[in-house]
Amino acid sequence: MDIILQQLVNGLSLGSVYGLIAIGYTMVYGIIGMINFAHGDVYMVSAYITAVAIALLSFFGIESFPVIIFGTLIFTIFVTGVYGWVIERVAYRPLRGSSRLSILISAIGMSLILQNYVQLSQGAKQQGVPTLLSGAIRFDIGDGFVQITYMKLFILVASFVGMAVLTYIIQKTKLGRMCRATQQDPKMASILGIDTDKIISTVFVIGATMAALAGVLVTLDYGGFDFYVGFIIGIKAFTAAVLGGIGSLPGAMLGGIILGLSEALFAGLISSDYKDVFSFSLLVVILIFRPSGLLGKPEVEKV
Amino acid sequence: MSQAATGIELKKTVIDSVLAGLLALIVFGPIVGLVLDGFDFNAEPKRLFMIVAVVMAGRFAASCFFQSTKGKDFLYKHSSKDEGVHVLSPDHKSKLKWIIPLTIVIAFLVPFIASKYILTVVILGLIYVLLGLGLNIVVGLAGLLDLGFVGFYAIGAYGLALGYEHLGLGFWSMLPIAAIVAAIFGAILGFPVLRMHGDYLAIVTLGFGEIIRLVLTNWTELTHGPNGMNAPLPTFFGMEFKRRASEGHVPFHEFFGLSYSSAYKYIFIYLILLLVVLGVLYVKKRLTQMPIGRAWEALREDEIACRSLGLNHVLVKLSAFMIGASTGGLAGVFFATYQGFVNPSSFTFFESALILAIVVLGGMGSTLGVVIAAFVLTVAPEMLREFADYRVLAFGILMVLMMIWKPRGLVRMTRIGVASREGNVK
């Protein structure tokens, strides 16, 4: 019983991270109908930037925990946002209007570029960040106990705040309205005076900042990372986006949490070696039986 | 287009390049300029400023060039994106007809001239030719982006190793069996993804490739996990290519009265591989002229139109998947026997991306292009060892640039057109 509860707790924080990254996939897919293959690698880059930011702050002698965390968050989110913008500008904008196959291949190329570029400049070895926040809340249940580390709690709170801010931006602000308009009908939106190119860039930046938030949180929690981490987590976040219905924001969050929970349960109860196999199989199964996901709209084939 | 705009706006150009430099500073600063070292970092300002300077200079030069008349002409020339298939006139006779037999003759002579090292590199190149041809059927002809192609490669390679260890099968029996098994896996993968389009298909096939790799890594009782497995060498009518043969066998060199050389086995593998590649090339050439090959291409260009014309898209897609997969399986068997050893680290996603880069660079659907690209992308990094670290980066940049500049690849697919029938039509 305590194992199940513990895995549910772990799954929830894992799932909220998947949800954050899934937002990047879902928004880009919603607006230009492409899978941003390099998105997982943007997450990976943000993990490196997190470590650099922490090292920089400690170099300047900053010790206080809140300052470090917020400094790192702001720095990482800003730089990763610029990454999102540059990637769109370099690899996707020149391809606007060409076939989907070309855009996807360009995205794969971008993913290879990011991975190798980080590997070349930072070295292939595993990197790490110091533990900033330790300790946990413990609940005794029967013979065992369930614990929530402060870091996991922080992940939950921070990702909740991130999602809430994003939802507010998309639902209430002018920028959000322009995003939604472009998502619905790019041609009509541009006729009505919305600079769709700019909106597409913005969406990439938003996706990158959410991935950066996830990158900071996970890096602080696990401590270790290398240039290859973006690949697996990218596919899983994509699975989450598809599960929730790609193109739908609440879907991405829901899908992330469902995937995180089910994966944690699978790892705890059946086999942790095969948990990635489980996620990939889940992706295939969802796409076969419910390609439009839980909250998505069915895709209409245009003739 | 107004002619007045041909002058170069210097102010805008300068602002552009300064902005580009600023962006480069933000983007490259934390990753290139500050290198992590434990929980500390080392600053590398020289590297960073080199990159920023290059970006600024490049942006400035590009800006100037594209504002000049020449640059505008260049942009115009390269703005036509989709070139499609190049159709030759029906009575087209190639002037280079002699080049194919000549290449084949040279190819058969290579192992007797080249050193052992060059031979091993060329074998690797040929294995990638095989892989490229297989994926070219799926991606180039049928237009189905398969990112899990490495899975079939792994099935072929592990098929040989497993068949040898558990069933006592050798190279010759596994060669066809691996192709068939890979084709069956191709069908297994093909069925569920038939309903999916471009992007979903890519991700699902990617997941499939990863599932195979993860199973190979984790199922240690069967595959010995990350430690890998031994694969047998091919035999020549039961003769082995070892210094001392196992019981009941005669080594190749003793039978022919030659002194032992480890190069014999590579020569032998090379010759079989060359025959297989030539066979696959021939089959592929025939296939593209047959209805099934034309159906693949038609489906690539417009699936909905094909389906409304009554083309059985299930059969067409499945056949592409299966034929592509079986070619990948063949390549896997050769890879295993060439290395004498397989382990899961040879079958990562990067390998799939490399094969895709071969297809993309060579020209989707173009056989000649794929053969050339396979050699360029595998042999060149071997020859230029110093640049080997940069090859993944180069592949990535290549893929992006090719998609922007020439989405259909360097060598356009060509086919000979159909002559109109002569007769008295009134």
Side-chain angles (χ1 to χ4, degrees):
Chain A
M1 188 59 199
D2 51 334
I3 295 180
I4 295 180
L5 275 177
Q6 182 66 60
Q7 288 300 10
L8 283 177
V9 168
N10 294 346
L12 204 60
S13 75
L14 185 66
S16 55
V17 166
Y18 288 158
L20 282 178
I21 307 171
I23 286 169
Y25 283 110
T26 236
M27 288 187 76
V28 167
Y29 196 90
I31 207 157
I32 47 176
M34 74 168 282
I35 293 172
N36 180 10
F37 210 87
H39 190 60
D41 298 292
V42 171
Y43 160 87
M44 178 270 298
V45 167
S46 79
Y48 274 86
I49 298 172
T50 306
V52 167
I54 291 175
L56 262 180
L57 288 170
S58 74
F59 176 75
F60 288 117
I62 294 166
E63 302 276 307
S64 107
F65 171 72
V67 178
I68 292 187
I69 275 228
F70 285 105
T72 308
L73 269 175
I74 290 166
F75 183 76
T76 309
I77 285 177
F78 172 70
V79 177
T80 314
V82 176
Y83 263 92
W85 191 85
V86 170
I87 288 169
E88 196 271 335
R89 195 63 206 250
V90 170
Y92 307 140
R93 188 175 293 184
L95 281 159
R96 198 78 35 88
S98 37
S99 75
R100 285 166 82 127
L101 196 63
S102 321
I103 302 177
L104 194 58
I105 289 171
S106 174
I108 293 168
M110 199 65 225
S111 157
L112 290 182
I113 292 174
L114 284 176
Q115 266 181 33
N116 202 237
Y117 142 75
V118 170
Q119 186 195 351
L120 284 174
S121 33
Q122 293 281 352
K125 66 172 190 287
Q126 180 98 12
Q127 306 279 3
V129 293
T131 313
L132 295 177
L133 186 61
S134 52
I137 310 172
R138 261 182 159 194
F139 300 100
D140 286 313
I141 290 170
D143 307 331
F145 62 87
V146 173
Q147 65 168 7
I148 308 174
T149 59
Y150 289 133
M151 198 57 228
K152 291 249 185 316
L153 209 59
F154 182 70
I155 290 181
L156 278 175
V157 172
S159 42
F160 179 77
V161 171
M163 287 173 186
V165 170
L166 182 68
T167 313
Y168 174 79
I169 292 176
I170 296 296
Q171 295 298 334
K172 303 281 180 202
T173 63
K174 193 180 167 201
L175 178 74
R177 206 158 55 232
M178 295 203 295
C179 283
R180 280 181 289 142
T182 314
Q183 199 147 358
Q184 277 202 339
D185 192 338
K187 209 178 255 172
M188 189 57 86
S190 75
I191 289 172
L192 293 176
I194 294 174
D195 186 348
T196 44
D197 269 349
K198 215 165 158 182
I199 293 298
I200 291 171
S201 289
T202 314
V203 162
F204 270 87
V205 172
I206 292 176
T209 54
M210 288 293 138
L213 180 58
V216 175
L217 296 174
V218 175
T219 310
L220 288 176
D221 188 20
Y222 286 94
F225 57 92
D226 58 28
F227 68 96
Y228 204 63
V229 289
F231 179 67
I232 292 280
I233 210 162
I235 299 181
K236 287 192 182 159
F238 179 76
T239 309
V242 170
L243 178 62
I246 199 153
S248 144
L249 269 187
M253 300 166 196
L254 183 70
I257 285 170
I258 292 176
L259 180 69
L261 288 178
S262 52
E263 196 185 295
L265 283 181
F266 183 87
L269 300 178
I270 300 171
S271 153
S272 63
D273 285 343
Y274 288 99
K275 72 174 179 7
D276 292 347
V277 174
F278 167 75
S279 311
F280 294 140
S281 316
L282 190 67
L283 174 67
V284 178
V285 172
I286 301 162
L287 280 175
I288 294 169
F289 294 106
R290 217 182 146 78
S292 52
L294 294 172
L295 302 181
K297 292 164 281 183
E299 201 175 320
V300 183
E301 228 167 77
K302 282 179 194 150
V303 182
Chain B
M1 199 199 294
S2 70
Q3 284 298 307
T6 47
I8 295 169
E9 290 176 62
L10 201 65
K11 195 176 149 205
K12 188 176 164 285
T13 312
V14 171
I15 291 176
D16 273 357
S17 60
V18 169
L19 275 180
L22 203 65
L23 280 177
L25 193 66
I26 298 172
V27 165
F28 294 115
I31 302 282
V32 179
L34 303 169
V35 177
L36 291 168
D37 180 23
F39 294 158
D40 209 358
F41 64 90
N42 301 322
E44 299 241 6
K46 220 171 107 187
R47 247 179 18 175
L48 176 61
F49 284 111
M50 282 268 283
I51 291 183
V52 172
V54 167
V55 167
M56 284 179 75
R59 182 76 181 98
F60 188 79
S63 247
C64 288
F65 179 65
F66 289 132
Q67 283 178 32
S68 68
T69 331
K70 241 188 191 158
K72 278 180 183 155
D73 285 350
F74 179 83
L75 276 185
Y76 182 74
K77 235 186 225 162
H78 292 282
S79 63
S80 52
K81 288 229 149 106
D82 243 16
E83 286 153 329
V85 178
H86 187 59
V87 182
L88 303 169
S89 69
D91 48 350
H92 175 84
K93 288 271 183 292
S94 175
K95 282 176 198 141
L96 298 170
K97 251 200 158 147
W98 50 273
I99 217 158
I100 294 171
L102 185 73
T103 321
I104 294 174
V105 168
I106 292 176
F108 274 108
L109 289 177
V110 163
F112 305 105
I113 310 160
S115 69
K116 193 179 135 194
Y117 169 68
I118 293 181
L119 192 61
T120 55
V121 173
V122 175
I123 290 176
L124 203 63
L126 276 181
I127 290 174
Y128 279 99
V129 169
L130 214 49
L131 286 168
L133 288 174
L135 189 63
N136 199 19
I137 292 176
V138 187
V139 179
L141 291 178
L144 305 162
L145 186 48
D146 180 357
L147 293 180
F149 196 67
V150 76
F152 305 121
Y153 188 37
I155 287 169
Y158 266 91
L160 179 63
L162 287 169
Y164 177 63
E165 192 173 301
H166 294 285
L167 304 171
L169 294 169
F171 173 81
W172 288 107
S173 30
M174 273 321 288
L175 198 60
I177 295 174
I180 293 166
V181 171
I184 291 169
F185 270 89
I188 293 173
L189 169 67
F191 257 115
V193 302
L194 281 177
R195 288 168 49 185
M196 294 169 200
H197 300 278
D199 302 13
Y200 281 159
L201 183 98
I203 293 275
V204 167
T205 49
L206 173 73
F208 168 80
E210 279 299 296
I211 289 175
I212 288 189
R213 192 179 63 82
L214 287 167
V215 169
L216 291 177
T217 313
N218 288 317
W219 195 353
T220 37
E221 302 90 60
L222 186 72
T223 64
H224 306 303
N227 295 333
M229 301 180 78
N230 287 323
L233 280 171
T235 51
F236 180 63
F237 292 110
M239 286 177 276
E240 295 180 340
F241 291 90
K242 293 178 187 160
R243 188 179 290 275
R244 271 178 238 298
S246 43
E247 250 186 336
H249 292 284
V250 186
F252 174 80
H253 61 99
E254 264 175 31
F255 186 85
F256 286 97
L258 301 160
S259 59
Y260 175 75
S261 160
S262 61
Y264 290 150
K265 72 174 181 202
Y266 288 115
I267 296 179
F268 186 63
I269 293 174
Y270 174 85
L271 291 175
I272 310 166
L273 181 55
L274 187 63
L275 285 174
V276 170
V277 169
L278 289 175
V280 170
L281 280 173
Y282 179 74
V283 169
K284 212 199 130 194
K285 185 170 154 39
R286 300 301 308 169
L287 278 175
T288 49
Q289 290 166 2
M290 277 160 62
I292 184 79
R294 301 206 176 226
W296 288 335
E297 284 183 68
L299 211 65
R300 172 190 69 197
E301 298 301 332
D302 194 338
E303 180 170 344
I304 294 165
C306 285
R307 280 166 70 174
S308 50
L309 284 172
L311 205 64
N312 184 348
H313 71 290
V314 174
L315 211 66
V316 174
K317 281 186 184 177
L318 265 189
S319 60
F321 260 114
M322 288 176 72
I323 293 173
S326 64
T327 316
L330 282 179
V333 172
F334 278 105
F335 178 71
T337 196
Y338 154 79
Q339 286 219 314
F341 174 77
V342 282
N343 77 347
S345 69
S346 311
F347 307 106
T348 56
F349 167 68
F350 167 68
E351 214 61 29
S352 282
L354 168 58
I355 306 166
L356 184 65
I358 289 172
V359 174
V360 166
L361 177 73
M364 299 208 200
S366 155
T367 311
L368 176 68
V370 166
V371 173
I372 295 172
F375 272 104
V376 169
L377 290 189
T378 54
V379 176
E382 289 290 332
M383 296 291 169
L384 307 164
R385 272 280 169 200
E386 312 91 277
F387 298 107
D389 287 345
Y390 292 89
R391 71 179 195 150
V392 185
L393 191 68
F395 290 159
I397 295 173
L398 199 72
M399 281 160 93
V400 174
L401 289 183
M402 284 299 294
M403 285 303 110
I404 294 172
W405 181 46
K406 266 186 187 292
R408 298 261 181 171
L410 281 182
V411 182
R412 258 165 76 187
M413 187 184 174
T414 53
R415 69 159 17 133
I416 293 176
V418 184
S420 56
R421 211 172 287 170
E422 308 250 336
N424 329 328
V425 182
K426 278 179 189 163

PDB file of all heavy atoms in Angstrom, chain B residues 348-369:
ATOM      1  N   THR B 348      21.241   2.937 -31.729  1.00  0.00           N
ATOM      2  CA  THR B 348      20.551   4.065 -31.113  1.00  0.00           C
ATOM      3  C   THR B 348      19.835   4.890 -32.176  1.00  0.00           C
ATOM      4  O   THR B 348      19.987   4.649 -33.371  1.00  0.00           O
ATOM      5  CB  THR B 348      21.557   4.981 -30.406  1.00  0.00           C
ATOM      6  OG1 THR B 348      22.523   5.361 -31.374  1.00  0.00           O
ATOM      7  CG2 THR B 348      22.242   4.269 -29.269  1.00  0.00           C
ATOM      8  N   PHE B 349      19.100   5.870 -31.699  1.00  0.00           N
ATOM      9  CA  PHE B 349      18.352   6.728 -32.615  1.00  0.00           C
ATOM     10  C   PHE B 349      19.284   7.447 -33.579  1.00  0.00           C
ATOM     11  O   PHE B 349      18.931   7.716 -34.721  1.00  0.00           O
ATOM     12  CB  PHE B 349      17.534   7.749 -31.822  1.00  0.00           C
ATOM     13  CG  PHE B 349      16.993   8.848 -32.671  1.00  0.00           C
ATOM     14  CD1 PHE B 349      16.020   8.571 -33.614  1.00  0.00           C
ATOM     15  CD2 PHE B 349      17.467  10.131 -32.567  1.00  0.00           C
ATOM     16  CE1 PHE B 349      15.536   9.571 -34.417  1.00  0.00           C
ATOM     17  CE2 PHE B 349      16.994  11.129 -33.368  1.00  0.00           C
ATOM     18  CZ  PHE B 349      16.020  10.846 -34.302  1.00  0.00           C
ATOM     19  N   PHE B 350      20.513   7.721 -33.119  1.00  0.00           N
ATOM     20  CA  PHE B 350      21.436   8.434 -33.990  1.00  0.00           C
ATOM     21  C   PHE B 350      21.646   7.682 -35.303  1.00  0.00           C
ATOM     22  O   PHE B 350      21.742   8.280 -36.374  1.00  0.00           O
ATOM     23  CB  PHE B 350      22.779   8.658 -33.302  1.00  0.00           C
ATOM     24  CG  PHE B 350      23.827   9.098 -34.266  1.00  0.00           C
ATOM     25  CD1 PHE B 350      23.736  10.349 -34.850  1.00  0.00           C
ATOM     26  CD2 PHE B 350      24.842   8.256 -34.661  1.00  0.00           C
ATOM     27  CE1 PHE B 350      24.662  10.753 -35.779  1.00  0.00           C
ATOM     28  CE2 PHE B 350      25.767   8.653 -35.588  1.00  0.00           C
ATOM     29  CZ  PHE B 350      25.683   9.913 -36.155  1.00  0.00           C
ATOM     30  N   GLU B 351      21.684   6.354 -35.185  1.00  0.00           N
ATOM     31  CA  GLU B 351      21.889   5.532 -36.379  1.00  0.00           C
ATOM     32  C   GLU B 351      20.728   5.744 -37.367  1.00  0.00           C
ATOM     33  O   GLU B 351      20.942   5.900 -38.566  1.00  0.00           O
ATOM     34  CB  GLU B 351      21.964   4.083 -35.921  1.00  0.00           C
ATOM     35  CG  GLU B 351      22.874   3.203 -36.695  1.00  0.00           C
ATOM     36  CD  GLU B 351      24.321   3.635 -36.661  1.00  0.00           C
ATOM     37  OE1 GLU B 351      24.778   4.258 -35.660  1.00  0.00           O
ATOM     38  OE2 GLU B 351      25.003   3.359 -37.644  1.00  0.00           O
ATOM     39  N   SER B 352      19.525   5.779 -36.833  1.00  0.00           N
ATOM     40  CA  SER B 352      18.359   6.049 -37.693  1.00  0.00           C
ATOM     41  C   SER B 352      18.492   7.396 -38.359  1.00  0.00           C
ATOM     42  O   SER B 352      18.204   7.560 -39.553  1.00  0.00           O
ATOM     43  CB  SER B 352      17.067   6.052 -36.866  1.00  0.00           C
ATOM     44  OG  SER B 352      16.652   4.760 -36.587  1.00  0.00           O
ATOM     45  N   ALA B 353      18.941   8.383 -37.573  1.00  0.00           N
ATOM     46  CA  ALA B 353      19.065   9.728 -38.121  1.00  0.00           C
ATOM     47  C   ALA B 353      20.131   9.770 -39.205  1.00  0.00           C
ATOM     48  O   ALA B 353      19.978  10.460 -40.218  1.00  0.00           O
ATOM     49  CB  ALA B 353      19.407  10.712 -37.007  1.00  0.00           C
ATOM     50  N   LEU B 354      21.194   9.013 -39.001  1.00  0.00           N
ATOM     51  CA  LEU B 354      22.260   8.966 -40.006  1.00  0.00           C
ATOM     52  C   LEU B 354      21.730   8.371 -41.317  1.00  0.00           C
ATOM     53  O   LEU B 354      21.984   8.901 -42.406  1.00  0.00           O
ATOM     54  CB  LEU B 354      23.428   8.134 -39.464  1.00  0.00           C
ATOM     55  CG  LEU B 354      24.508   7.731 -40.451  1.00  0.00           C
ATOM     56  CD1 LEU B 354      25.123   8.943 -41.109  1.00  0.00           C
ATOM     57  CD2 LEU B 354      25.603   6.939 -39.754  1.00  0.00           C
ATOM     58  N   ILE B 355      20.970   7.277 -41.201  1.00  0.00           N
ATOM     59  CA  ILE B 355      20.424   6.654 -42.411  1.00  0.00           C
ATOM     60  C   ILE B 355      19.468   7.629 -43.090  1.00  0.00           C
ATOM     61  O   ILE B 355      19.447   7.769 -44.322  1.00  0.00           O
ATOM     62  CB  ILE B 355      19.717   5.332 -42.062  1.00  0.00           C
ATOM     63  CG1 ILE B 355      20.654   4.421 -41.280  1.00  0.00           C
ATOM     64  CG2 ILE B 355      19.276   4.611 -43.328  1.00  0.00           C
ATOM     65  CD1 ILE B 355      19.961   3.262 -40.620  1.00  0.00           C
ATOM     66  N   LEU B 356      18.702   8.333 -42.270  1.00  0.00           N
ATOM     67  CA  LEU B 356      17.784   9.324 -42.835  1.00  0.00           C
ATOM     68  C   LEU B 356      18.570  10.427 -43.540  1.00  0.00           C
ATOM     69  O   LEU B 356      18.187  10.888 -44.623  1.00  0.00           O
ATOM     70  CB  LEU B 356      16.914   9.907 -41.731  1.00  0.00           C
ATOM     71  CG  LEU B 356      15.854  10.891 -42.202  1.00  0.00           C
ATOM     72  CD1 LEU B 356      14.841  10.181 -43.071  1.00  0.00           C
ATOM     73  CD2 LEU B 356      15.164  11.554 -41.038  1.00  0.00           C
ATOM     74  N   ALA B 357      19.698  10.832 -42.931  1.00  0.00           N
ATOM     75  CA  ALA B 357      20.510  11.872 -43.555  1.00  0.00           C
ATOM     76  C   ALA B 357      21.019  11.399 -44.912  1.00  0.00           C
ATOM     77  O   ALA B 357      21.092  12.182 -45.865  1.00  0.00           O
ATOM     78  CB  ALA B 357      21.688  12.235 -42.641  1.00  0.00           C
ATOM     79  N   ILE B 358      21.338  10.117 -45.006  1.00  0.00           N
ATOM     80  CA  ILE B 358      21.795   9.568 -46.289  1.00  0.00           C
ATOM     81  C   ILE B 358      20.694   9.716 -47.337  1.00  0.00           C
ATOM     82  O   ILE B 358      20.926  10.189 -48.448  1.00  0.00           O
ATOM     83  CB  ILE B 358      22.186   8.079 -46.115  1.00  0.00           C
ATOM     84  CG1 ILE B 358      23.466   7.964 -45.308  1.00  0.00           C
ATOM     85  CG2 ILE B 358      22.334   7.395 -47.459  1.00  0.00           C
ATOM     86  CD1 ILE B 358      23.836   6.556 -44.930  1.00  0.00           C
ATOM     87  N   VAL B 359      19.486   9.325 -46.939  1.00  0.00           N
ATOM     88  CA  VAL B 359      18.374   9.394 -47.888  1.00  0.00           C
ATOM     89  C   VAL B 359      18.077  10.844 -48.276  1.00  0.00           C
ATOM     90  O   VAL B 359      17.850  11.160 -49.449  1.00  0.00           O
ATOM     91  CB  VAL B 359      17.125   8.725 -47.284  1.00  0.00           C
ATOM     92  CG1 VAL B 359      15.927   8.904 -48.188  1.00  0.00           C
ATOM     93  CG2 VAL B 359      17.380   7.257 -47.052  1.00  0.00           C
ATOM     94  N   VAL B 360      18.121  11.715 -47.269  1.00  0.00           N
ATOM     95  CA  VAL B 360      17.776  13.113 -47.516  1.00  0.00           C
ATOM     96  C   VAL B 360      18.810  13.781 -48.408  1.00  0.00           C
ATOM     97  O   VAL B 360      18.485  14.475 -49.368  1.00  0.00           O
ATOM     98  CB  VAL B 360      17.681  13.860 -46.166  1.00  0.00           C
ATOM     99  CG1 VAL B 360      17.673  15.345 -46.373  1.00  0.00           C
ATOM    100  CG2 VAL B 360      16.453  13.427 -45.425  1.00  0.00           C
ATOM    101  N   LEU B 361      20.078  13.546 -48.086  1.00  0.00           N
ATOM    102  CA  LEU B 361      21.135  14.177 -48.879  1.00  0.00           C
ATOM    103  C   LEU B 361      21.154  13.602 -50.284  1.00  0.00           C
ATOM    104  O   LEU B 361      21.295  14.337 -51.267  1.00  0.00           O
ATOM    105  CB  LEU B 361      22.487  13.951 -48.198  1.00  0.00           C
ATOM    106  CG  LEU B 361      23.689  14.492 -48.955  1.00  0.00           C
ATOM    107  CD1 LEU B 361      23.707  15.999 -48.869  1.00  0.00           C
ATOM    108  CD2 LEU B 361      24.975  13.932 -48.412  1.00  0.00           C
ATOM    109  N   GLY B 362      21.026  12.296 -50.378  1.00  0.00           N
ATOM    110  CA  GLY B 362      21.131  11.651 -51.679  1.00  0.00           C
ATOM    111  C   GLY B 362      20.020  12.043 -52.619  1.00  0.00           C
ATOM    112  O   GLY B 362      20.186  12.035 -53.835  1.00  0.00           O
ATOM    113  N   GLY B 363      18.894  12.381 -52.088  1.00  0.00           N
ATOM    114  CA  GLY B 363      17.764  12.687 -52.943  1.00  0.00           C
ATOM    115  C   GLY B 363      16.728  11.614 -52.727  1.00  0.00           C
ATOM    116  O   GLY B 363      16.976  10.446 -52.959  1.00  0.00           O
ATOM    117  N   MET B 364      15.555  12.037 -52.278  1.00  0.00           N
ATOM    118  CA  MET B 364      14.537  11.055 -51.923  1.00  0.00           C
ATOM    119  C   MET B 364      14.089  10.312 -53.168  1.00  0.00           C
ATOM    120  O   MET B 364      13.658  10.918 -54.134  1.00  0.00           O
ATOM    121  CB  MET B 364      13.365  11.761 -51.281  1.00  0.00           C
ATOM    122  CG  MET B 364      13.815  12.456 -50.043  1.00  0.00           C
ATOM    123  SD  MET B 364      12.494  12.588 -48.915  1.00  0.00           S
ATOM    124  CE  MET B 364      13.090  13.896 -47.915  1.00  0.00           C
ATOM    125  N   GLY B 365      14.232   9.018 -53.112  1.00  0.00           N
ATOM    126  CA  GLY B 365      13.802   8.200 -54.226  1.00  0.00           C
ATOM    127  C   GLY B 365      14.902   7.937 -55.223  1.00  0.00           C
ATOM    128  O   GLY B 365      14.791   7.029 -56.039  1.00  0.00           O
ATOM    129  N   SER B 366      15.962   8.714 -55.175  1.00  0.00           N
ATOM    130  CA  SER B 366      17.014   8.529 -56.157  1.00  0.00           C
ATOM    131  C   SER B 366      18.016   7.483 -55.688  1.00  0.00           C
ATOM    132  O   SER B 366      18.615   7.609 -54.630  1.00  0.00           O
ATOM    133  CB  SER B 366      17.732   9.858 -56.390  1.00  0.00           C
ATOM    134  OG  SER B 366      19.033   9.613 -56.841  1.00  0.00           O
ATOM    135  N   THR B 367      18.176   6.429 -56.476  1.00  0.00           N
ATOM    136  CA  THR B 367      19.066   5.352 -56.080  1.00  0.00           C
ATOM    137  C   THR B 367      20.522   5.800 -56.114  1.00  0.00           C
ATOM    138  O   THR B 367      21.267   5.606 -55.166  1.00  0.00           O
ATOM    139  CB  THR B 367      18.893   4.166 -57.036  1.00  0.00           C
ATOM    140  OG1 THR B 367      17.500   3.903 -57.141  1.00  0.00           O
ATOM    141  CG2 THR B 367      19.619   2.957 -56.540  1.00  0.00           C
ATOM    142  N   LEU B 368      20.887   6.422 -57.229  1.00  0.00           N
ATOM    143  CA  LEU B 368      22.272   6.860 -57.391  1.00  0.00           C
ATOM    144  C   LEU B 368      22.672   7.795 -56.258  1.00  0.00           C
ATOM    145  O   LEU B 368      23.741   7.651 -55.652  1.00  0.00           O
ATOM    146  CB  LEU B 368      22.417   7.558 -58.742  1.00  0.00           C
ATOM    147  CG  LEU B 368      23.788   8.163 -59.018  1.00  0.00           C
ATOM    148  CD1 LEU B 368      24.806   7.048 -59.179  1.00  0.00           C
ATOM    149  CD2 LEU B 368      23.762   9.041 -60.248  1.00  0.00           C
ATOM    150  N   GLY B 369      21.793   8.740 -55.966  1.00  0.00           N
ATOM    151  CA  GLY B 369      22.081   9.712 -54.912  1.00  0.00           C
ATOM    152  C   GLY B 369      22.323   9.033 -53.583  1.00  0.00           C
ATOM    153  O   GLY B 369      23.246   9.392 -52.850  1.00  0.00           O
TER     154      GLY B 369
END
